[in-house]
Amino acid sequence: MKRTYIPKLDDLLGGGVREGASVMFSASPGVDYEAFGYQMLNGRLDEGEKGFIFTNVEEPESIIYEFRSYGWDIEPHIEKGDMFFVDGSSPFLGMPSEERYTVSDYSEIRETVLNAIEDIPGGVGVINCLSVIIDYLGNGDTLEIVEAWNRRASELDVNLVYLFTEWDYERELMDKLRSLIDCVIDLRTIEERVIIGQGFMVAHSDWSRPPETMVLFFVVQPGGVKVYVPKILVTGPYNSGKSTFVKSISTKSVSVDRKALSAFPTTIAMDIGHLEYKGFMADIFGTPGQERFDLILDVLSREAVGAFILVDSTAPETFARAKEMIRKTRAEAIPKVVVANKQDLPGALSPDEIRTRMKLGGDVPIIPVSLKEGWGVKEALDTLLGLLYGG
């Protein structure tokens, strides 16, 4: 199996892509999709494999620049000869091309790409983009070409990755095209009155039975494809460590604090953080813990898809308040992890003792953590992301 280098996609496919299999990223118009193919290619090149990009949408220099914007440098691979372009763009723009292969007439495309496949046994070729080929050649010739490319690629253990914009093509064409591809990943917009995000889902795979899971994503520069978690809530009683926890898991964060009469700063509105971790990105919202701020809990908890419940392991008298905050923030209905903080202090209750005291079911993970000593945080984060997207 070959890795895709797309976060969560390997998990959905049962470990990756079968050698020699064809893959199509089939996108609704307007959805970012090129980064999916380029990210796969970049990861495979870094593993020492060979690859090419057939381009009929922009000239190679523009694609090299796009790779740089994601933080990926393919020029050393090009200089070594491990990576090359099949340039089906520059000749049509009246521009010179010095690439290994060029296509100046679409009647040449079948044999030219077959020659490129011969150059990269065991590698990966990206076809960007298939919908333009259909527009030039029509349905019948395109299907015949795709079948021929896939057959030869399979014989040489080459993964062909098709990037495809799903315009309003005939249903018959779409069905036949999908039947020729070993794995189809649909990229769709997620709408509720307006477009609120983008998601991918494996439509079919010849070697696995993927779950019908829609994974939200963003394409960021630098970084490429990231799994997006819209909102993670951090709640819990006063002084349980929420602000410190938000700062610990966030790439960037800010707290709205003020000094109370005791001179200790306390959160009076919220903690806001942004997380980028293992291919995931998420926005973090931490609630204040004191009862006088409960009016804003409802606002902060709306649209949350997962929650951390912070508890002070040395203060069982605050557990009832923690349960109350779970209810007030509606965290019962979403995946959640109880973060048992202050495990480094004498008298800290164990996770099992906390579960018993809080009367929590076995389906709610309780992770021992010491924010002061800095351990347990990643385990809590991995656990919640696992609940959200499996793995």
Side-chain angles (χ1 to χ4, degrees), residues 175-365:
D175 291 343
K176 288 183 177 177
L177 185 59
R178 286 178 172 243
S179 71
L180 295 176
I181 308 291
D182 297 313
C183 175
V184 177
I185 295 105
D186 288 331
L187 311 182
R188 297 286 182 261
T189 57
I190 298 170
E191 304 175 22
E192 188 170 337
R193 296 184 181 177
V194 296
I195 295 173
I196 59 174
Q198 301 178 116
F200 69 80
M201 182 175 70
V202 180
H204 87 253
S205 162
D206 284 358
W207 62 86
S208 62
R209 291 187 176 180
E212 294 182 358
T213 301
M214 178 67 79
V215 179
L216 298 181
F217 71 91
F218 261 136
V219 177
V220 295
Q221 296 173 316
V225 180
K226 301 278 188 181
V227 173
Y228 177 54
V229 182
K231 189 176 188 180
I232 292 177
L233 190 71
V234 177
T235 192
Y238 170 70
N239 201 34
S240 57
K242 298 181 296 301
S243 296
T244 305
F245 184 75
V246 170
K247 291 173 184 172
S248 297
I249 64 174
S250 298
T251 313
K252 301 175 183 175
S253 67
V254 62
S255 298
V256 182
D257 297 337
R258 75 175 180 190
K259 287 188 176 182
L261 293 177
S262 62
F264 292 106
T266 183
T267 302
I268 61 168
M270 68 180 80
D271 299 300
I272 303 173
H274 178 74
L275 160 74
E276 292 195 24
Y277 176 72
K278 291 186 176 179
F280 288 85
M281 56 186 295
D283 295 320
I284 315 294
F285 290 79
T287 77
Q290 294 159 312
E291 294 183 18
R292 64 178 182 274
F293 299 121
D294 279 2
L295 284 175
I296 65 174
L297 293 184
D298 179 60
V299 176
L300 290 179
S301 61
R302 289 174 189 169
E303 288 89 39
V305 297
F308 291 106
I309 316 300
L310 269 290
V311 296
D312 181 341
S313 303
T314 67
E317 68 277 11
T318 66
F319 291 173
R321 171 63 176 162
K323 292 285 292 285
E324 182 185 14
M325 297 190 75
I326 292 174
R327 182 181 61 80
K328 285 181 178 292
T329 56
R330 301 187 183 90
E332 303 105 319
I334 57 177
K336 55 188 167 296
V337 170
V338 172
V339 178
N341 189 24
K342 305 187 183 181
Q343 287 285 313
D344 55 297
L345 296 182
L349 298 178
S350 69
D352 286 343
E353 291 172 320
I354 293 171
R355 186 184 304 281
T356 300
R357 295 284 191 104
M358 291 185 69
K359 296 181 173 55
L360 292 172
D363 59 329
V364 180

Side-chain angles (χ1 to χ4, degrees), residues 143-182:
L143 292 171
E144 190 276 328
I145 283 175
V146 168
E147 188 171 16
W149 288 349
N150 288 352
R151 184 167 54 247
R152 188 56 184 146
S154 178
E155 291 168 354
L156 294 175
D157 288 335
V158 170
N159 291 121
L160 282 186
V161 179
Y162 296 91
L163 303 181
F164 179 59
T165 301
E166 203 172 309
W167 298 105
D168 189 21
Y169 294 112
E170 297 170 5
R171 190 67 257 168
E172 183 180 3
L173 169 65
M174 293 303 303
D175 291 343
K176 288 183 177 177
L177 185 59
R178 286 178 172 243
S179 71
L180 295 176
I181 308 291
D182 297 313

